[in-house]
Amino acid sequence: MSAAAVEHPCEDEPTLLDEAEKLTEMLPGYRVEILGGAITVTPSADGAHAVSLTDIAYAFAPVHGGQTYVAQSMGVWLPDGPFNYAIPDLSVVDADFREHRIEKNNYDPAIFRLALEVTSSNHATDLKTKVVAYAIAKIPVYVIVDRRDHRIHVLTDPYANEYRSHRVHAPGEQITLPDSVGAEVVLDVAAILETARP
């Protein structure tokens, strides 16, 4: 009987997280995330994307301060892999977020009450990959401003790797987000989509 060689990974071998950090340093302004065990790189946002985020942040003013904060580009550590993390465009997080930092400026998903993405060149990532990731992380509300198809998706009630409720809103509608975000937040679909228009 012969014995096969057993290979052990080198302790000096870089991890996926190390590689993501290198890319972040090499590509300033790009968003580097690890989703489903793969590094995802998204170019910096265009002006309409950036301005729409500011307008959306104003709509979230009732939940900023006190028990929750509104944050842009705050990393969430994802439980579906050893190094997975995402950086939502905008989040609503518990006020004690500082006590829940996990690694590399990423925070425990338990403090996230909402994640929001405004689509750009990463359309499929926001509408598919992140739906699964945020549901597994049990983020209660996921909002997607879909600039390509001119609508807003509101996903709630995460279960396993999906959201049980998925509502699509068109211009002319007003969206009242669930109370779980911390206070009443109403989004004007037409106004958000007009500002976000590329």
Side-chain angles (χ1 to χ4, degrees), residues 80-178:
D80 61 338
F83 303 114
N84 291 348
Y85 68 92
I87 306 170
D89 286 326
L90 185 129
S91 303
V92 175
V93 297
D94 292 341
D96 67 346
F97 68 89
R98 289 174 184 87
E99 299 168 23
H100 300 278
R101 185 173 164 199
I102 294 182
E103 191 170 342
K104 308 289 184 189
N105 292 325
N106 294 295
Y107 295 83
D108 187 332
I111 65 159
F112 285 75
R113 295 184 182 205
L114 171 140
L116 182 143
E117 301 284 2
V118 176
T119 63
S120 52
S121 61
N122 59 345
H123 190 265
T125 301
D126 290 341
L127 285 166
K128 295 178 182 171
T129 309
K130 287 190 175 180
V131 169
V132 172
Y134 293 156
I136 291 170
K138 297 189 180 354
I139 296 175
V141 181
Y142 178 33
V143 177
I144 307 164
V145 177
D146 183 348
R147 300 194 309 163
R148 186 185 77 183
D149 295 327
H150 211 62
R151 54 195 181 177
I152 295 178
H153 301 258
V154 178
L155 294 86
T156 57
D157 195 15
Y159 178 76
N161 64 349
E162 63 184 5
Y163 283 88
R164 290 179 177 162
S165 175
H166 180 173
R167 299 226 21 221
V168 180
H169 301 273
E173 293 184 64
Q174 300 280 317
I175 303 168
T176 300
L177 294 175

Side-chain angles (χ1 to χ4, degrees), residues 59-71:
F60 280 88
V63 297
H64 187 70
Q67 295 183 6
T68 57
Y69 285 107
V70 178

Side-chain angles (χ1 to χ4, degrees), residues 7 9-10 13 24 31 36 45 59 73 112 123 128 131 142 194 196:
E7 291 186 34
C10 293
E13 194 172 301
T24 299
R31 181 184 311 191
S73 301
F112 285 75
H123 190 265
K128 295 178 182 171
V131 169
Y142 178 33
E194 179 58 30

